[in-house]
Amino acid sequence: MVAKEKMINGFRHIPYKAESYSAGEMIERSNEFYHFLDKRRSVRHFSNKEVPQEVIENIVRTAGTAPSGAHKQPWKFCVVSNVLLKSKIREAAEKEEKENYSSRMSERWLRDLAPLGTDNNKEFLEIAPYLIIVFKEVYEFDEEGNKHNNYYVNESVGIACGMLISAIHNAGLVTLTHTPSPMNFLASLLERPKNERAYLLLPVGYALEDALVPDIHRKKNCDICDFYR
Ligand code: IYR
């Protein structure tokens, strides 16, 4: 039986119709989805080939379906394809990364990054046709102009980014989670309002045909999951 809509605290609640599968279908679907997402890799070698803007719009719309604290949806996705802006972002990011790699990161951190082959050169910021810079909205204003902090902002935006990354992979495109810390130069370059903080930078595009990725492996299920039966 389908529930009837009703009012709770003066707000309308409507029936939810869940997707429904047999146990066999669930096993097949979950396994296929795992294998599909397991093919995703962080890729640093981008082609400069054009990507239809509609694909990017769909990807962002998908990220916007993420759950968020009190449904505040405390995210903004800034999509940069402007060549001059991309080169300014690259220049500023490389300036921070130069500091990071030469003095701010510990010996241990540098050793942990060695298998990935990263350095302060971020040419992908100019080559990738799109940069999606995700901002978190740490607070909002009410009708009277009073400031109110949003809830679970990092969790909410983190989940949205996970969904964004999955949507990028689903479209046949690649990305990587770039964190040119500190990231405040992004708010200045993009002239963002004061309640926004840069959270993550994701270059998006096609992988180069001869792209390489490090031969690293994922933890096994038994190493990431404990069952309590
Ligand atoms: N932000 C730097 C360093 C870096 C840090 C981590 I943790 C990585 O997994 C990869 C890189 C950069 O983007 O190069």
Side-chain angles (χ1 to χ4, degrees), residues 44 97 100-101 105 109 113 116 118-119 122 176-181:
R44 293 179 169 78
E97 294 292 27
N100 290 335
Y101 281 89
M105 279 149 66
W109 194 349
L113 287 184
L116 309 184
T118 59
D119 57 30
K122 302 299 175 191
L176 72 118
T177 50
H178 179 40
T179 50
S181 166

Side-chain angles (χ1 to χ4, degrees), residues 15-223:
Y16 173 71
K17 187 82 195 84
E19 305 293 328
S20 148
Y21 308 107
S22 69
E25 284 168 336
M26 280 198 285
I27 291 169
E28 197 180 317
R29 288 176 65 92
S30 54
N31 189 43
E32 271 179 12
F33 192 58
Y34 155 66
H35 283 291
F36 170 68
L37 280 193
D38 190 39
K39 283 195 252 154
R40 185 205 56 80
R41 295 296 309 263
S42 289
V43 174
R44 293 179 169 78
H45 303 144
F46 285 82
S47 150
N48 61 2
K49 189 176 154 192
E50 280 288 305
V51 169
Q53 186 174 303
E54 194 174 344
V55 176
I56 302 296
E57 286 168 10
N58 288 338
I59 284 166
V60 169
R61 195 180 285 138
T62 305
T65 67
S68 62
H71 194 51
K72 290 292 179 182
Q73 306 173 78
W75 41 64
K76 241 348 157 324
F77 301 91
C78 293
V79 180
V80 177
S81 54
N82 179 283
V83 172
L84 183 62
L85 204 42
K86 284 199 296 180
S87 83
K88 283 184 181 167
I89 290 172
R90 175 183 179 182
E91 192 187 344
E94 286 185 336
K95 191 159 165 257
E96 294 300 347
E97 294 292 27
K98 206 162 172 213
E99 283 293 310
N100 290 335
Y101 281 89
S102 65
S103 59
R104 291 199 283 235
M105 279 149 66
S106 65
E107 282 297 315
R108 184 186 167 84
W109 194 349
L110 291 171
R111 228 179 310 126
D112 282 339
L113 287 184
L116 309 184
T118 59
D119 57 30
N120 59 280
N121 174 28
K122 302 299 175 191
E123 66 179 0
F124 55 74
L125 293 173
E126 282 188 279
I127 297 173
Y130 287 100
L131 305 179
I132 302 182
I133 296 109
V134 185
F135 287 86
K136 58 179 181 183
E137 296 176 338
V138 284
Y139 57 84
E140 62 174 14
F141 293 98
D142 64 19
E143 300 75 41
E144 281 94 52
N146 300 312
K147 229 162 112 171
H148 299 281
N149 284 338
N150 282 324
Y151 315 102
Y152 298 101
V153 171
N154 286 318
E155 291 82 350
S156 305
V157 182
I159 294 166
C161 286
M163 295 173 71
L164 183 68
I165 292 166
S166 303
I168 291 167
H169 177 61
N170 181 58
L173 301 172
V174 296
T175 187
L176 72 118
T177 50
H178 179 40
T179 50
S181 166
M183 292 205 273
N184 25 18
F185 69 87
L186 291 165
S188 338
L189 281 176
L190 300 176
E191 301 177 352
R192 301 312 302 170
K194 279 203 158 51
N195 65 329
E196 293 184 14
R197 306 275 179 281
Y199 184 86
L200 200 57
L201 194 168
L202 296 152
V204 183
Y206 296 92
L208 268 185
E209 243 172 66
D210 57 356
L212 291 175
V213 292
D215 185 18
I216 50 178
H217 299 276
R218 298 192 160 101
K219 289 180 179 175
K220 291 202 232 27
N221 233 20
C222 57
D223 298 323

